[in-house]
Amino acid sequence: MALRFFNTYSREIEEFEPGDLSGRPIRMYTCGPTVYSRAHIGNFRAYIFEDLLQRHLELRGYKVHRVMNITDVEDKTIRGAREAGIPLQKFTEQFKEAFFEDAHTLRIKRADEYPAATDQRYIDRMIEMISALISKGLAYQADDKSVYFRINKFPDYGKLAHFDLTQLQSTGRVKHDEYDKEHIGDFALWKAWDEADGDVKWASPWGPGRPGWHIECSAMSMALLGDQIDIHCGGVDNIFPHHEAEIAQSEGVTGKTFVRYWLHCAHLLVDGQKMAKSLGNFYTVPDVLAKGYTGRELRYALLRVHYRVPLNFTWEGMNEARESLGRIDEWLARLKQIATNGNAQHPTPNAQRPTAAFEEALDDDLNISAALGFLFESIRQTNRAMDQKEMDAASASAWLDWWKRINTLLDLEADTDVAIPHEVEQLAQQREKARREKNWKRSDELRERISALGWEVRDTKDGPKLTRGAGTA
Ligand code: AMP
Ligand code: ZN
């Protein structure tokens, strides 16, 4: 079956037909972080969804060229730098670094390019695009010296968001806050410099100023991926006005369809509300690590629900993630043991073999919930087969090969490079001794001491096993 995705533009599930790919990869653009503070884990839900999408396309044999922009100039970054009393570049640098560190912790595959909006070559491109829009009558400079997109001249404006523009219709000129726009919905392409901007300014045909947020993405995607791109992603809050504006700007300049497939992920919520900086209800990756969880556990917690379904963040959900990963770890350890030593007394060679169901679930609009459901059902059944000594070495190897393949997109295997500290080993041995002596009180005390050191001891059929991650949470 072909890949199918829900396209926000048509509001329908569509077959993925990227056209002629000879000699070129899939062109994918993903809106990146605005670096005025550390990204929160809601932002990372969007990046993990995009990571899964890229990895699944690659698993299905496509080559992907992915660009993720860094928004390092807009209102919030300028305000932040001013308040901190440091140059914009210096202010944003720390959050760029933090973003890459967190993305690494969450095992997010690096994009091919991370263009920054303040790079002069993209500023030049933005200026070129704005000039072209003005010459086509699609943009104008207002009395405040800023340049605005004239939405009434672009009939498709509102199509992505399925937005009824009549709600925004205005007759004549509207005085809107401090500036003079023709239409209340016209958005800024170029913002004229004012004192509050300090030394953040670039020269342009319309006087000194800086680009609007939307034109940054249009210019960077066009510069790096060409006039037309295959897939464009973001969170649902990007649909309007950001992506709607990107379409108007890019198509306004080229006259060609800008994006073939628009994919948006639902929000990460806290108590039913969007996790957002402005609401103050957010956690960062370091916040979650400080509670004793690992990047792998957070990756799982953010990955496990279908991208179009809102996901509520809870610490209970983090504990469930830990438990699910523990089941995978134990299962893999058992399979490895049987693949090497065999354990079958009553082998049923073909009864327990992996199928394509996991990957097919992902073909269906990236249905990770169904795919994981299949994984855990397989774990349950194969564990039973191993309990009953029905799994032969060849079947165990087949399951391990299957895992290796699906793990190219899950990327959830335990870190093997984390050595168990000597102290933890010793405590685990003492605990095992206490258990053999049926000294449950001492055994529990030792478990707690192990846990306080950030490790968890599990009693499996093959004896006690130590895993990373248990902590103070
Ligand atoms: P920003 O840094 O605000 O431009 O956002 C970066 C990305 O994170 C965008 O794709 C947003 O749509 C996405 N995003 C922001 N908040 C959330 C959230 N609570 N859940 C999921 N995605 C989000
Ligand atoms: Zn963008």
Side-chain angles (χ1 to χ4, degrees), residues 29 31 69 213 217 242-243 246:
Y29 188 89
C31 287
N69 70 293
W213 173 37
C217 280
H242 186 50
H243 290 163
E246 278 188 44

Side-chain angles (χ1 to χ4, degrees), residues 78-79 82 193-200:
I78 294 176
R79 196 183 318 129
R82 193 179 59 228
W193 179 85
D194 71 27
E195 269 168 33
D197 295 339
D199 60 359
V200 180

Side-chain angles (χ1 to χ4, degrees), residues 48-339:
I48 284 181
F49 140 66
E50 291 153 1
D51 180 59
L52 182 68
L53 174 60
Q54 173 173 6
R55 286 170 186 255
H56 187 55
L57 288 165
E58 288 171 346
L59 186 87
R60 285 304 193 204
Y62 293 105
K63 282 205 162 38
V64 179
H65 187 87
R66 181 159 69 89
V67 173
M68 175 176 272
N69 70 293
I70 307 280
T71 304
D72 58 356
V73 56
E74 48 70 81
D75 297 351
K76 293 190 288 282
T77 52
I78 294 176
R79 196 183 318 129
R82 193 179 59 228
E83 283 168 11
I86 51 176
L88 180 69
Q89 181 94 17
K90 196 156 177 241
F91 177 72
T92 55
E93 196 54 45
Q94 54 188 318
F95 302 118
K96 281 187 203 176
E97 269 171 33
F99 164 73
F100 287 115
E101 188 184 318
D102 293 345
H104 177 74
T105 302
L106 294 176
R107 304 179 179 190
I108 293 171
K109 222 178 142 167
R110 282 184 68 89
D112 297 276
E113 297 179 84
Y114 290 100
T118 52
D119 189 327
Q120 188 63 46
R121 91 189 105 145
Y122 303 123
I123 298 273
D124 291 346
R125 194 71 185 234
M126 295 169 211
I127 291 173
E128 251 173 59
M129 288 186 77
I130 298 169
S131 302
L133 291 170
I134 292 177
S135 66
K136 290 180 172 207
L138 284 164
Y140 60 93
Q141 186 168 27
D143 295 345
D144 65 350
K145 301 269 180 279
S146 291
V147 179
Y148 296 94
F149 190 93
R150 186 176 270 135
I151 60 166
N152 274 338
K153 280 275 154 70
F154 190 79
D156 283 350
Y157 194 75
K159 280 223 170 130
L160 177 72
H162 296 237
F163 200 72
D164 181 4
L165 267 190
T166 53
Q167 290 175 7
L168 279 182
Q169 286 310 331
S170 60
T171 47
R173 290 171 83 82
V174 177
K175 196 89 180 146
H176 184 253
D177 292 335
E178 73 276 24
Y179 48 74
D180 219 3
K181 297 196 286 186
E182 289 178 7
H183 188 294
I184 197 165
D186 289 354
F187 55 88
L189 298 165
W190 187 260
K191 295 191 173 184
W193 179 85
D194 71 27
E195 269 168 33
D197 295 339
D199 60 359
V200 180
K201 58 176 186 261
W202 287 267
S204 84
W206 318 285
R210 60 189 166 97
W213 173 37
H214 313 314
I215 196 76
E216 295 178 10
C217 280
S218 278
M220 288 185 276
S221 65
M222 201 177 286
L224 294 166
L225 296 171
D227 292 353
Q228 295 184 285
I229 58 186
D230 298 300
I231 302 179
H232 194 316
C233 306
V236 285
D237 57 317
N238 279 165
I239 297 173
F240 193 89
H242 186 50
H243 290 163
E244 194 73 62
E246 278 188 44
I247 295 175
Q249 296 161 154
S250 299
E251 297 191 0
V253 170
T254 66
K256 299 180 202 158
T257 302
F258 173 43
V259 171
R260 300 182 65 152
Y261 300 92
W262 284 99
L263 271 67
H264 293 98
C265 83
H267 283 144
L268 185 68
L269 310 176
V270 182
D271 297 329
Q273 266 194 311
K274 178 191 172 190
M275 180 177 288
K277 300 253 173 66
S278 54
L279 297 173
N281 62 351
F282 65 91
Y283 299 102
T284 62
V285 172
D287 290 340
V288 177
L289 299 185
K291 292 259 192 188
Y293 295 97
T294 62
R296 172 171 91 117
E297 287 164 342
L298 182 54
R299 176 178 175 82
Y300 182 87
L302 295 176
L303 184 80
R304 72 196 164 109
V305 169
H306 189 278
Y307 76 94
R308 286 196 289 119
V309 177
L311 167 59
N312 211 25
F313 179 79
T314 59
W315 296 111
E316 204 185 316
M318 285 303 302
N319 290 337
E320 282 165 20
R322 174 172 291 172
E323 227 167 80
S324 301
L325 289 171
R327 280 172 65 200
I328 294 175
D329 293 346
E330 273 170 34
W331 177 67
L332 290 174
R334 286 185 86 185
L335 284 174
K336 280 176 192 161
Q337 220 247 335
I338 293 171

